[in-house]
Amino acid sequence: MKQTTIAKKVEGVGIGLHKGEPIKITLEPLEADLGIVFYRKDAGVSIKAEPGNVINTQMATVVGNKTGIYISTIEHLFSAINSYGIDNIRIVLDANEIPVMDGSAISFCMMLDEAGIKTLDSDKKAMIIKREVEVKEGDKFVRISPSKNPKFDYTIKFDHPIIGKQNYVFEFSKDGFIKEISRARTFGFLKDVQMLRANNLALGGSLENAVVIDDSRILNPEGLRFENEFVRHKILDAIGDLALIGMPILGDYTAFAGSHDLNHKLTLAILSDEKNYEIVTLNQELAKEYSKVFA
């Protein structure tokens, strides 16, 4: 099984969630073994997408460098890139965040569909999880465990009548991602949005790019896209956060009340001990199993 990139350059424009300004995003093909690379056109700086370059996980996953240049809210785009099995891609931006689009990953899926997938000459690598790794904070946890057929088993619990406790198990595949996960939007509480805006954050947030909830109801006139859209979006985020590992992960992900921060700490915990994983070239047998994911 060979590495992939996109077949041609594609461009899009969307609003930045925090600054509320238009942002141009361009996805470009990249050669083998280069991974996912950001280029801040306005600053003339490239940043490799990898766990060591994550600088903030408070409200989104943010990567940056020592000079203070950063890119925020990468997880929705990365979720699509990961689910399409793309190993190498260059993301060109003229601002410090990925545009929020409609708050889900479907716009990025459409961009990748337009770009097409190109197979490269170099062999594809994958990370096989060899033993369970877990990160806990109180009763919250995220965990990865050995599996040949990756799945995401996520549970959320909110003290809110609209959300409550939700669980969803997603068997990872490209087709499944598009149908079950990609359209699930980010969500927030009205009181939190008001507080963020008072601090000049979430200026681009609206009912067009998020599910917004007050004390008792959903404010979006169209309602939810899925009955359990909230937990599906958490899976979307997790797929994007784990993509920072830089290669497909053969392992089961389980979470209760997870977060960007716990996901980041999980990637660091995996990489902290080589006994946790094995990096392999996808030989004929492994490729046969894994290729089903991207059929």
Side-chain angles (χ1 to χ4, degrees):
M1 195 170 185
K2 300 296 184 181
Q3 292 183 33
T4 62
T5 185
I6 54 174
K8 66 176 184 179
K9 179 173 76 172
V10 290
E11 298 177 343
V13 177
I15 297 296
L17 178 61
H18 290 302
K19 295 296 177 66
E21 299 172 352
I23 296 171
K24 182 178 179 181
I25 179 171
T26 305
L27 306 181
E28 298 179 348
L30 207 57
E31 295 175 7
D33 299 314
L34 293 180
I36 303 173
V37 179
F38 289 102
Y39 180 66
R40 278 278 304 275
K41 194 174 181 180
D42 56 319
V45 172
S46 292
I47 300 173
K48 181 78 179 289
E50 56 190 16
N53 285 337
V54 173
I55 61 170
N56 194 316
T57 53
Q58 188 175 2
M59 291 186 297
T61 299
V62 183
V63 294
N65 63 19
K66 294 177 181 179
T67 68
I69 303 299
Y70 67 90
I71 302 100
S72 178
T73 323
I74 68 171
E75 57 272 10
H76 300 169
L77 171 60
F78 272 43
S79 194
I81 290 171
N82 190 349
S83 298
Y84 274 61
I86 295 170
D87 303 289
N88 309 282
I89 192 169
R90 188 176 190 240
I91 303 159
V92 181
L93 298 158
D94 60 1
N96 60 14
E97 58 182 320
I98 302 288
V100 67
M101 302 306 197
D102 74 341
S104 76
I106 191 63
S107 294
F108 301 121
C109 292
M110 293 169 69
M111 290 182 73
L112 294 175
D113 286 338
E114 181 185 349
I117 307 297
K118 179 183 178 182
T119 302
L120 301 171
D121 290 334
S122 297
D123 290 333
K124 193 179 189 80
K125 294 182 176 64
M127 174 181 283
I128 297 178
I129 299 300
K130 303 296 287 184
R131 62 183 185 181
E132 184 178 288
V133 181
E134 183 177 80
V135 178
K136 296 186 71 172
E137 287 183 1
D139 62 345
K140 301 176 181 180
F141 71 86
V142 294
R143 178 194 307 136
I144 196 91
S145 52
S147 174
K148 287 186 177 181
N149 300 294
K151 66 177 183 289
F152 287 74
D153 183 343
Y154 210 120
T155 302
I156 61 172
K157 187 177 181 181
F158 284 82
D159 185 17
H160 192 285
I162 297 295
I163 306 177
K165 186 175 182 179
Q166 297 183 3
N167 170 263
Y168 195 71
V169 179
F170 170 61
E171 294 188 10
F172 184 76
S173 72
K174 176 184 175 182
D175 185 59
F177 176 81
I178 294 168
K179 293 177 180 177
E180 301 176 44
I181 303 297
S182 69
R183 294 176 59 250
R185 294 163 294 177
T186 191
F187 61 94
F189 300 97
L190 182 61
K191 62 179 186 296
D192 295 333
V193 173
Q194 292 167 336
M195 180 188 69
L196 289 168
R197 286 188 171 175
N199 290 285
N200 286 321
L201 294 171
L203 299 178
S206 73
L207 298 180
E208 300 296 320
N209 53 42
V211 177
V212 182
I213 311 160
D214 68 10
D215 291 338
S216 60
R217 63 192 176 98
I218 295 166
L219 300 183
N220 305 64
E222 74 279 9
L224 297 176
R225 293 176 176 176
F226 307 94
E227 183 182 1
N228 54 1
E229 186 168 357
F230 305 105
V231 70
R232 291 186 194 225
H233 184 79
K234 287 293 189 178
I235 291 175
L236 188 156
D237 281 345
I239 293 170
D241 289 339
L242 292 187
L244 282 159
I245 286 283
M247 66 188 73
I249 301 175
L250 297 181
D252 284 345
Y253 170 96
T254 308
F256 176 77
S259 63
H260 295 302
D261 187 54
L262 286 175
N263 289 336
H264 172 54
K265 288 175 179 175
L266 180 62
T267 62
L268 295 178
I270 293 168
L271 295 171
S272 68
D273 189 337
E274 291 184 358
K275 294 178 182 177
N276 292 334
Y277 64 92
E278 179 183 2
I279 295 175
V280 300
T281 298
L282 285 175
N283 58 30
Q284 190 171 1
E285 182 181 347
L286 282 171
K288 186 178 179 181
E289 287 292 323
Y290 199 70
S291 61
K292 298 174 187 175
V293 172
F294 301 108

